[in-house]
Amino acid sequence: AVLSLQEALRLIAAIDTETTLGKRDRAIVGLLLVNGLRSIEVSRASIQDIHSVDGFTVLKVHGKGGRIADTKLREDVWKAIQGYLATRTEAKPEESLFLSIGNLAKGSISSRTVQARVRHYLAAAGIQKPNLTTHSLRHTAAVLTLSIGGADLVKVQRMLRHQDPKVTMRYLSSLDNLREHGVDQNPISLA
């Protein structure tokens, strides 16, 4: 399941950025929807993972199989992260980028909490689709970048940090199947 562009924008709009929780969650949703991060990658991130490479602000992503790769932080996502970090007093570089918030909060946000927060905002935005998960935001990032953003397969492969282009091809194949579907040439009309 993927979100349409309008649904993705509704999801973002459902986040109240007047609170520390909302500032944190907006930055997280940005990383999920824009950069295509996995929830576990969000929970593994530390402040020191943000650095500059040749004038670009990047986040070192601790991905599947122990693989580490940089992802470029777009200006709006970086500003959302900065907005959240500004609410933290005396944050140290080795600390987790995203902390738990609340009565039982201890340390870094868990992948489970990321998933729960995404479910919360999906409900708040009135988005109800079967099989919609936090990982669907990663799929949404890929599909919207391919279909609306006009990126090619290689760019999306790099964005998602896929080793094998066949994995990324799944996103393109599902779009191509819809674009090239024979139903459009069927001469029968119900109108």
Side-chain angles (χ1 to χ4, degrees), residues 38-51:
R38 298 173 179 94
S39 57
I40 190 68
E41 294 168 341
V42 168
S43 67
R44 289 177 181 160
S46 69
I47 295 171
Q48 65 192 1
D49 288 333
I50 298 173
H51 58 283

Side-chain angles (χ1 to χ4, degrees), residues 129-150:
K129 289 183 172 182
N131 304 318
L132 199 58
T133 66
T134 303
H135 202 70
S136 299
L137 301 189
R138 180 174 169 84
H139 293 273
T140 299
V143 169
L144 293 180
T145 302
L146 283 165
S147 64
I148 297 174

Side-chain angles (χ1 to χ4, degrees), residues 94-111:
E94 65 277 2
E95 290 180 346
S96 293
L97 180 55
F98 300 107
L99 298 177
S100 292
I101 297 173
N103 295 337
L104 303 175
K106 281 190 173 181
S108 67
I109 191 170
S110 69
S111 182

Side-chain angles (χ1 to χ4, degrees), residues 108-129:
S108 67
I109 191 170
S110 69
S111 182
R112 237 185 195 153
T113 300
V114 171
Q115 294 165 9
R117 298 306 300 159
V118 168
R119 282 192 304 272
H120 167 79
Y121 292 116
L122 287 168
I127 302 168
Q128 298 174 343
K129 289 183 172 182

Side-chain angles (χ1 to χ4, degrees), residues 6 14 18 21 33 43 73 75 78 101-102 105 118 146 153 163:
Q6 293 76 19
E18 295 299 315
L21 178 68
L33 271 176
S43 67
L73 294 176
E75 188 65 28
W78 175 224
I101 297 173
V118 168
L146 283 165
L153 186 68
Q163 296 294 315

Side-chain angles (χ1 to χ4, degrees), residues 15-26 83-84 87 101 117 121:
I15 303 170
D16 176 11
T17 57
E18 295 299 315
T19 66
T20 299
L21 178 68
K23 289 177 192 302
R24 181 200 70 186
D25 291 351
R26 182 178 172 90
Y84 164 63
T87 69
I101 297 173
R117 298 306 300 159
Y121 292 116

Side-chain angles (χ1 to χ4, degrees), residues 142-164:
V143 169
L144 293 180
T145 302
L146 283 165
S147 64
I148 297 174
D152 62 26
L153 186 68
V154 173
K155 287 181 180 178
V156 175
Q157 178 186 353
R158 287 180 185 151
M159 180 181 85
L160 298 178
R161 299 163 322 281
H162 287 154
Q163 296 294 315
D164 188 345

